[in-house]
Structures are given as structure tokens and as C-alpha cells.
Amino acid sequence: TRPGITMNDCPESAQVHRADFADIREAKIVKGRSINLALSHRGRQALKQVGMEDTIVSKGIPMHSRMIHSLNGTQSPIPYGKKGQVTLLMQRLDTPHSAETYSTTKLNFAHKLLNWSTETGAMTFLRADGAKEEIQADLIVGCDGAFSAIRKQFLRQSRFNFSQTYIPHGYLELTMPPINGEFAMKPNYLHIWPRNTFMMIALPNLDKTFTCTLFMPFDEFENVTTGDQVIEFFQKYFPDTIPLIGADALKRDYFRLPAQAMVSVKCSPYHLSDKCVLMGDAAHAVVPFYGQGMNAGFEDCLVFNEIMDQLNEDFSAVLPEYTRVRVPDDHAIADLAMYNYVEMRSHVNSKWFLFRKYVDNTLHMIMPRTVIPLYTMVTFTRIRYHEAVKRWHWQDKVRHYIVHSSLYKGL
Amino acid sequence: TRPGITMNDCPESAQVHRADFADIREAKIVKGRSINLALSHRGRQALKQVGMEDTIVSKGIPMHSRMIHSLNGTQSPIPYGKKGQVTLLMQRLDTPHSAETYSTTKLNFAHKLLNWSTETGAMTFLRADGAKEEIQADLIVGCDGAFSAIRKQFLRQSRFNFSQTYIPHGYLELTMPPINGEFAMKPNYLHIWPRNTFMMIALPNLDKTFTCTLFMPFDEFENVTTGDQVIEFFQKYFPDTIPLIGADALKRDYFRLPAQAMVSVKCSPYHLSDKCVLMGDAAHAVVPFYGQGMNAGFEDCLVFNEIMDQLNEDFSAVLPEYTRVRVPDDHAIADLAMYNYVEMRSHVNSKWFLFRKYVDNTLHMIMPRTVIPLYTMVTFTRIRYHEAVKRWHWQDKVRHYIVHSSLYKGL
């Protein structure tokens, strides 16, 4: 098999350019705009293929359950899958840019893309010193995020389908400090406070803090404008968190940054002639509610690599095939993330939801190959995303039948 | 009421800039890329308000029915609405730019927009002579079409929702010449050859020709590459048109231009600060299957004018209100046009479709205020597009009930 697949892991002669006007490895975490990264099966398979799985995994915090916080303060765990099926929580700075350690790939920071030619593959960059730099690429891999500069060129072509959809919710991050040097709540859990139209989640960090993220419609954010209103709001909906975050910190940090927007991006095709291909968020930014953003991006690389092997690295055949194979799967995970955005904040706390999970898991135990819970298919297998959705719809019918006949039998 | 509403009909001091590097009034029709314009109630109401209805209407060809051509050559008319309800077919060059005749608005052709400022409203244009020109606008009204240059600035803002969707079909235009100086088929009809995955339509022109437009998936266009294949294809699907278009002309004109793409554009919001507002195709390009593109654009102006009156021409209030009111209606007509894209080529020839039309029209006759066929609501009233869709869904349930109980009674 070929050596390279991720953005950092290109053929030996490759160069990686980033627009950030600094080396991200030396940068500090931007407080309030982190959103931790979840690494699960698909992402790990990609890292494994380039020999980086163990190193990366050792820096993650394993999570095996959700922990639901109800209004009265009771906490109920809901496991993600079977024993041993964990999602790893990564810090944003741990994952990227270990490439130079693993290959001779050259990283260029502080290079802003000004333009590139669809015919020749020539790229023009603006450097931090103000000078322009031209380079010639055999293949341009656009991994430059939700607001991709590479993708702008695609928008100028006919028959390029594109959508960007902002959800009505924004997010705001708060920090829950350690207590006596230990985590303030149980670590190894995704803590969730579902409150129907909005929700808060908390995720553990290596420094024993939790990052609490409040997701709420922008117009509801606008109703909370003073420190006292923040406390009143938390008293009403998240009373158990006030002593843990601290009332003073809460009043202060709530206003540190305005609520941040979240966008879902879909497009097709992913390639432009035989010169350029989009991957990761540049091809399919998803809302963060399924923890699959990074995994889908890493799996893009795995799929691309598989097609490169099948088609003898002939770009003119590989690129259209990559579009054909990958677009339906990325669109499916974008839709699932949007679906979970509703599910997480509304259904997750209901008895009905817990009962459905119970039925799912029981069916899975009885027929492990036939019935696999959706979350398990998405997070702990490499079943293609769009096939997972299809199987889920089919299973839903089966489950519906079983649940209802159970109810009639007075289960 | 205020005088002005269309793109051409701004306050006296207004200027209109077009990118076309020529005065469109002196340009020739671009053969093969025309798609005639349908003018119906909404568009006429807007023209009426600026005193232009009669002039424009006198240049249109009235159409009161569809004419369905089956494979064996039989023709069946399906009226659009009640007697007197007609759609007018306009030539592309007849409608625009009568503004200078009706006001002191200044038209500037051959001005290409390079940039504009969201803060100051300053606009920079490139003129045909290569010089740059700066102007300052109180309000920028972006009516610059599906690929709007004005809209690019919107895409750089956060929380701007945008989608462009190309349908899998392309279109290709052919001309059916007059026979002995007269129309080759009955004029005053929209002729349709529905063939399920594809279709052809023909629309009359003032010069007694018909413009025939073939709508077909791009990959099916790719299967027809020689003159003989064109004739074979038409023999199979549109045999009655071969003598009317002429075999030689058909072989030649079919390859004059490649099949053209069709895009559906949706976005929201329509305004940016209190400096700019999008209207017409720039805000909502629709596929051409409901004949509402121009009408929706003209109605934008009517709605904007109504809101200007309500809110005393205060742009900071008018623009958000215009977005709030108009977005759901434009999205509804975009969806309806997409729906008709399936309906026109597939269902229109079935007996089931004709029976449904019959039930619709009968119900409308019995309860003219309660049940109005969808096509009538969209084309011959100013019922808001999104309300027309809602009423349609409700009526559909009623009709479903009536049709099925009729069938059971052996109607």
C-alpha cells in the first residue's frame, strides 16, 4: 500500500500550505472557539494506515458513555456502545501537523492562497513578509476548511452544486476548573444537559478542566445581556453547574466572546479537472453534533487511498471515482449531524428514548450482524455512512413493529 | 403611492448599471439561449403600478392552454385556467429597459461591478474603455441575475445561507420556421411532448416561428453525437416535429450550441446592513418549469414597494422586513418550479393527471373561494406563494378523499 493519506501525509515531494499567519503548533488554544475533537473508529483506521494511531490515541481521553443531567440534578449514563467501544476526545492542538515527524513533507505556514489555475495547477500565495510565491502542483488537495479558499474556484464553474446552511443556534464555551486538582465531574463521559430548544454539553480536557458548551438559538442569546441574567438563566436550567463553574467566572466568561455560528456545507463534485480535489471540511463541513467531522475527513483520505490503489494512481480516473463514491457518504453524515442536533437536545432525556436505546441494544445482542444501532454503525464501524442511514431506516421499521407489539403485550 | 418599483424604475436620481458590454436594447437575441419569458398576473400587477402594463402586454402572445403531443401524434389541449386567464409570452428583448422612456432614470451599460463596500455603499465599476468609476449609493439593489456579482459580498458575511443546485437536465433550443408565412402549429398554446425522463416544449414567437426546447439529462445528450442519431432520436420520440423543423435544420441546429445548464438558487437574508438588497434572480433563480421567474422578480418589487409605504421608506426597517416577508415565498416558488420539472415531463400525459385536473376544476367551479387549483393560485392570483403551497397540501387531502370515494362509487 502507498504511504500517504492525510493532509500531512503526502508523497515525499509534497508541500502543505496553511493560511494561518503563524505556525499552529506554536499557537495557543483560542479560548471560547475550541470544540474538542472526537476520534473514533474511522479516524483511527486512517491514522493506523500511516502508523500514527498509537501516538495519537495515547494523547486522547477515552469516553464510553453519555451522562444526562436532568433539571433536578440526577445523572443517568447512556453507554455509546458495547464494552470497549470508546470515542477518544482530542485537544485541537494534539492532532494536526505531526507530519514532519513522520515524513519529509514540508509544511509552509503563513501562506495565504490568492489564486490557482484550473488548467495548469499553478498556485499563487501571499507570504507573511508580503511577498508573492508561485508554485506548480501536480495535484492540489483542498483541505482548507469550511470556508475553503480552494473551493472558490469551483464556484466559478458551471454545474457545481453548493450549499452553506447556518443553523439558528450559536455556541458559547465556558470552562469548569478542577477541584483539588481533580476533575469537577466524572471524566470519561460526555455530559449533556438537554433542554429541548437548547442544551449544554461538557467535555473533559487533559488539564482536568471541562469545556462546557452552551448551544442555543441566537435570539435566545440576545435575551441574556447582564451578569445577573446569566446567573438567573443558569439557576433555572443548569443549577448543578453554577458551583462547579463558579458564579463570578460564569458572569465574566459568558460575555468573553459573542456566540459563534455553525455552518453545514455540502457540495458536489469534489474534483475539478484532474488538478484538484476537496477533502475534509472544505468538501463537507458538518455541525458538531455527531462527533464525526474529523473522522469523516480522515476517512476521505482512506477512501481516496483505496481508489488510488484500484485505479493505479491515474488522477484523471481517480478524481471522478472519488466524487462518485464519497459524495453520498459525506452528504449522509452531514444530514445525520443535523438530525442529532435535534435528537441530542430534545429526545435524549425522555424515557421513550431510553426505551428505544434498550430495544436497539437488545436486538443487537440477539442479532449482532443484522441489527446494529445507528450510533454504533456510524462511530464504531466503517459501514458507509449512506448505507448506515439506509439500514437504520429499515431497522427502524423492525423496531417500530417490535416496540409496538411489546407494548400491546403489556411489556 | 411611490412611483418606482422595477429595476428600471428607481427614484428619479437613480442609476442603473449593467455589466453587459453593450446596450442590450441594441443586441440581437442569442440564438439557442433565449427561453421565452412568461408574463402572468403577478408581473402584470407590478407593471400596472408603474403604468407600463398596456405597452408591455401589447407585445406579448397570449397563451390559454397547454397542448400535449402524444407519441402517436394526437394533440390534447389542457387549459391553464378559466376563460380569460392567459399567460403572455414575451420576447426577451421586449420587456427590459423601457425605463428611460418612463422616468429620468439613467441607464449605464457596459459597467462591470468590481467591488462594493458594505459600510459606505461605495461601488467600483470597470467601464468598457478600461477606466474605473466610483459611485456612492444610498441603497444598492442587486438585480444582477443568477450569478449576481453583488451577492458575492453577501457570501463573505457570517450566517448567510446560500445554495445553488444544478438539475441533471440541460436544454437545447431549435427553431420551427413558419409554413407559408403562418405558424407551423397552433399558436396560443404551450406545446408539450412529455416523455418521462425528458421532454420537449414549443413556444410561439412574434415572427411566426416556434422555439422548441428539448430538456434532457446531460448524459442522454452525450449519447446523441451525429446528425443521423439526432434524426433517429426524433423519429422515436418526436416524429411529428421532424417535417415541421426540417430534417436538415434539425441535424445542423442540434449541434449549434452544447446543452445549457439550469440552476436553482436560494439564499437568505436578502439584505446586508441597510445598504443593499437582492431582488429577482440574484435572490432566487428558479428553474424555468413554472413560468414564474420574471413574475416572482417583478412581485419582489411590488412587495418591496408595499413595505416601503408601511415603514415610511426607512431602509433600516424596510430591508429586514422585506427579508422576513419575501424569503418564504421565493423559496416556495423555487420548490414549485422544481416540482413542475418532474410533473411536466412525467404526469402531464397520463389519464390520471387529466382526471385530477378535472376534479380540481370542478371543485373550483362549485367552491370558487375554497378550492383553487394550484396553477391558478400561482399564475392568476397574488396569493402568497408559500400560502398557495399550504392551501394546495390541504386541498390535496380533500381531493384525495373525493377522488377515492368517487372511484369506489364506480364513477
Side-chain angles (χ1 to χ4, degrees):
Chain A
T1 53
R2 296 172 54 261
I5 46 159
T6 77
M7 164 174 146
N8 309 313
D9 187 78
C10 315
E12 306 275 304
S13 63
Q15 296 198 24
V16 173
H17 296 81
R18 286 192 59 108
D20 321 62
F21 271 47
D23 184 336
I24 197 178
R25 291 166 299 183
E26 290 156 15
K28 286 198 169 177
I29 292 179
V30 183
K31 283 264 178 207
R33 309 188 63 167
S34 67
I35 299 193
N36 310 48
L37 298 167
L39 177 66
S40 51
H41 184 72
R42 292 169 207 263
R44 287 176 71 158
Q45 287 300 105
L47 290 171
K48 189 178 195 169
Q49 197 165 124
V50 289
M52 286 170 67
E53 188 186 11
D54 294 341
T55 322
I56 298 290
V57 163
S58 68
K59 294 181 188 166
I61 300 175
M63 290 196 305
H64 41 72
S65 277
R66 309 168 192 84
M67 181 70 86
I68 309 299
H69 293 243
S70 67
L71 255 181
N72 63 24
T74 51
Q75 301 185 19
S76 343
I78 304 177
Y80 280 124
K82 286 187 288 197
K83 225 184 149 194
Q85 289 182 328
V86 296
T87 291
L88 286 151
L89 206 64
M90 312 304 301
Q91 310 281 286
R92 192 163 284 273
L93 293 187
D94 290 334
T95 23
H97 309 292
S98 311
E100 281 179 336
T101 326
Y102 290 86
S103 75
T104 55
T105 303
K106 183 159 178 341
L107 304 184
N108 299 293
F109 290 92
H111 277 61
K112 186 180 176 178
L113 181 69
L114 296 179
N115 213 344
W116 65 272
S117 158
T118 54
E119 279 120 52
T120 64
M123 308 174 85
T124 313
F125 291 95
L126 178 65
R127 292 197 318 231
D129 61 8
K132 286 188 186 174
E133 192 178 314
E134 285 255 356
I135 73 140
Q136 186 72 34
D138 294 327
L139 178 67
I140 301 170
V141 184
C143 296
D144 51 345
F147 302 100
S148 170
I150 291 284
R151 202 179 54 212
K152 293 211 174 89
Q153 200 73 265
F154 283 65
L155 273 167
R156 290 185 205 131
Q157 313 296 313
S158 186
R159 299 181 66 196
F160 178 63
N161 293 313
F162 173 76
S163 74
Q164 60 179 43
T165 310
Y166 286 86
I167 56 175
H169 284 57
Y171 73 90
L172 185 148
E173 290 184 351
L174 300 163
T175 303
M176 186 183 285
I179 298 179
N180 302 326
E182 276 310 313
F183 281 108
M185 302 184 298
K186 283 190 182 169
N188 308 112
Y189 287 91
L190 165 58
H191 293 265
I192 312 179
W193 292 258
R195 298 294 182 263
N196 288 310
T197 62
F198 54 92
M199 69 168 174
M200 190 158 75
I201 66 169
L203 292 167
N205 298 311
L206 286 177
D207 64 0
K208 311 272 163 128
T209 60
F210 274 95
T211 300
C212 304
T213 311
L214 173 62
F215 296 95
M216 194 158 70
F218 276 97
D219 45 16
E220 294 188 40
F221 272 114
E222 281 162 22
N223 294 335
V224 179
T225 56
T226 68
D228 289 345
Q229 284 173 332
V230 175
I231 299 297
E232 198 182 320
F233 176 73
F234 270 69
Q235 279 292 9
K236 191 161 175 193
Y237 295 109
F238 315 109
D240 56 338
T241 66
I242 300 180
L244 301 178
I245 298 174
D248 288 340
L250 190 55
K251 282 183 183 181
R252 184 188 63 231
D253 294 353
Y254 190 94
F255 299 104
R256 199 173 40 196
L257 274 181
Q260 303 291 310
M262 282 166 284
V263 70
S264 184
V265 171
K266 286 184 187 176
C267 66
S268 171
Y270 287 165
H271 68 287
L272 210 171
S273 70
D274 58 351
K275 283 282 172 240
C276 183
V277 64
L278 300 176
M279 289 188 190
D281 281 8
H284 48 81
V286 299
V287 291
F289 304 105
Y290 223 113
Q292 282 293 305
M294 183 174 71
N295 293 286
F298 283 9
E299 196 181 44
D300 285 349
C301 305
L302 259 184
V303 170
F304 190 79
N305 210 31
E306 285 158 7
I307 296 169
M308 283 283 273
D309 285 343
Q310 280 162 27
L311 300 175
N312 299 316
E313 311 194 2
D314 169 6
F315 290 150
S316 69
V318 167
L319 269 46
E321 177 65 3
Y322 173 72
T323 285
R324 192 189 68 77
V325 169
R326 196 58 183 161
V327 166
D329 289 323
D330 289 333
H331 286 197
I333 191 61
D335 292 340
L336 282 175
M338 206 62 111
Y339 167 83
N340 232 33
Y341 157 56
V342 180
E343 173 108 347
M344 271 180 89
R345 61 190 154 88
S346 53
H347 305 142
V348 95
N349 56 346
S350 72
K351 292 207 172 124
W352 175 242
F353 178 85
L354 292 174
F355 178 61
R356 271 170 54 198
K357 287 269 162 207
Y358 167 80
V359 173
D360 268 5
N361 292 335
T362 309
L363 286 172
H364 182 45
M365 218 163 64
I366 302 168
M367 303 175 280
R369 280 170 183 280
T370 317
V371 177
I372 312 178
L374 176 64
Y375 193 89
T376 302
M377 288 192 280
V378 169
T379 313
F380 303 119
T381 77
R382 276 203 65 209
I383 294 172
R384 291 180 61 184
Y385 288 128
H386 89 273
E387 277 169 17
V389 172
K390 259 199 226 159
R391 285 180 69 157
W392 174 49
H393 288 312
W394 174 80
Q395 289 174 188
D396 216 44
K397 281 185 198 152
V398 174
R399 189 183 57 197
H400 185 82
Y401 174 77
I402 291 172
V403 167
H404 283 265
S405 45
S406 307
L407 286 177
Y408 287 123
K409 283 181 200 149
L411 180 104
Chain B
T1 53
R2 298 173 53 261
I5 45 156
T6 78
M7 163 174 147
N8 310 312
D9 186 76
C10 315
E12 306 275 304
S13 64
Q15 295 198 24
V16 174
H17 296 81
R18 287 192 58 108
D20 321 61
F21 271 47
D23 184 336
I24 197 178
R25 292 165 300 184
E26 290 157 15
K28 285 198 171 177
I29 292 179
V30 182
K31 282 264 179 209
R33 309 188 63 165
S34 67
I35 299 192
N36 311 49
L37 298 167
L39 177 66
S40 52
H41 185 71
R42 293 169 206 262
R44 287 176 72 159
Q45 288 299 107
L47 291 170
K48 189 178 194 168
Q49 196 166 124
V50 290
M52 287 169 68
E53 187 185 12
D54 293 341
T55 322
I56 298 290
V57 162
S58 69
K59 295 180 186 166
I61 300 175
M63 290 196 306
H64 40 72
S65 277
R66 308 169 192 85
M67 181 69 87
I68 309 300
H69 293 243
S70 66
L71 254 181
N72 65 23
T74 51
Q75 301 185 20
S76 345
I78 305 177
Y80 280 123
K82 288 187 287 198
K83 226 184 148 192
Q85 289 181 327
V86 297
T87 291
L88 287 151
L89 206 63
M90 313 303 300
Q91 310 282 285
R92 192 163 283 273
L93 292 187
D94 289 334
T95 23
H97 310 290
S98 310
E100 281 180 336
T101 326
Y102 289 86
S103 76
T104 56
T105 302
K106 181 159 178 346
L107 304 184
N108 298 293
F109 291 92
H111 277 61
K112 187 180 175 177
L113 181 68
L114 295 180
N115 214 345
W116 65 274
S117 157
T118 54
E119 279 120 53
T120 64
M123 308 174 85
T124 313
F125 291 96
L126 178 66
R127 292 198 317 231
D129 61 8
K132 287 188 186 175
E133 191 177 316
E134 284 257 355
I135 73 140
Q136 186 72 36
D138 295 326
L139 178 67
I140 301 169
V141 184
C143 297
D144 51 345
F147 303 100
S148 170
I150 291 284
R151 201 178 54 212
K152 293 212 173 88
Q153 201 72 267
F154 282 64
L155 273 167
R156 290 184 205 133
Q157 313 296 314
S158 186
R159 299 182 64 198
F160 179 63
N161 293 313
F162 173 76
S163 74
Q164 60 179 41
T165 309
Y166 285 87
I167 56 174
H169 284 57
Y171 73 89
L172 185 149
E173 290 184 351
L174 300 162
T175 303
M176 186 182 283
I179 299 179
N180 303 325
E182 275 310 313
F183 282 107
M185 302 184 297
K186 283 188 182 169
N188 308 110
Y189 287 91
L190 164 58
H191 293 265
I192 311 180
W193 292 258
R195 298 295 182 262
N196 288 308
T197 62
F198 54 92
M199 70 167 173
M200 189 157 75
I201 67 169
L203 293 167
N205 298 309
L206 287 176
D207 65 359
K208 311 268 165 139
T209 61
F210 275 96
T211 300
C212 304
T213 311
L214 173 62
F215 296 94
M216 194 159 70
F218 277 97
D219 45 16
E220 294 188 39
F221 272 114
E222 281 162 22
N223 294 335
V224 180
T225 55
T226 68
D228 289 345
Q229 283 173 333
V230 175
I231 299 297
E232 198 182 320
F233 175 73
F234 270 69
Q235 278 293 8
K236 191 162 174 192
Y237 296 108
F238 316 110
D240 56 339
T241 66
I242 300 180
L244 302 179
I245 298 174
D248 288 340
L250 191 54
K251 282 184 185 183
R252 183 188 64 231
D253 294 353
Y254 190 94
F255 300 104
R256 197 173 40 195
L257 273 181
Q260 303 290 311
M262 281 166 284
V263 70
S264 184
V265 171
K266 286 183 186 176
C267 66
S268 172
Y270 286 165
H271 68 287
L272 209 172
S273 69
D274 59 350
K275 283 283 172 238
C276 183
V277 64
L278 300 175
M279 289 189 190
D281 282 7
H284 49 81
V286 298
V287 291
F289 304 105
Y290 222 112
Q292 282 293 306
M294 183 173 72
N295 293 286
F298 283 9
E299 196 181 44
D300 286 348
C301 306
L302 259 185
V303 169
F304 190 79
N305 210 31
E306 286 157 8
I307 296 170
M308 282 283 273
D309 285 345
Q310 280 161 29
L311 300 175
N312 298 316
E313 312 195 1
D314 168 8
F315 291 149
S316 69
V318 167
L319 269 45
E321 178 66 3
Y322 174 72
T323 285
R324 192 188 69 77
V325 169
R326 196 57 183 160
V327 166
D329 290 324
D330 288 334
H331 286 196
I333 190 61
D335 293 339
L336 282 174
M338 207 61 111
Y339 167 83
N340 232 32
Y341 156 57
V342 180
E343 173 107 348
M344 271 180 89
R345 62 190 153 88
S346 53
H347 306 140
V348 95
N349 56 344
S350 71
K351 290 201 173 128
W352 176 242
F353 178 85
L354 292 173
F355 178 62
R356 272 170 52 198
K357 287 268 160 207
Y358 168 78
V359 174
D360 268 6
N361 292 335
T362 310
L363 287 172
H364 182 46
M365 218 161 64
I366 304 167
M367 302 175 279
R369 278 168 185 281
T370 317
V371 177
I372 312 177
L374 176 64
Y375 193 89
T376 302
M377 287 192 279
V378 169
T379 312
F380 303 119
T381 78
R382 274 204 64 208
I383 294 172
R384 291 182 60 186
Y385 287 130
H386 89 272
E387 277 169 16
V389 172
K390 259 199 227 161
R391 286 180 69 157
W392 175 48
H393 288 310
W394 173 80
Q395 288 174 188
D396 216 45
K397 281 186 198 153
V398 174
R399 189 183 57 199
H400 185 82
Y401 174 77
I402 291 172
V403 166
H404 284 264
S405 46
S406 308
L407 287 177
Y408 287 123
K409 284 179 199 149
L411 179 106

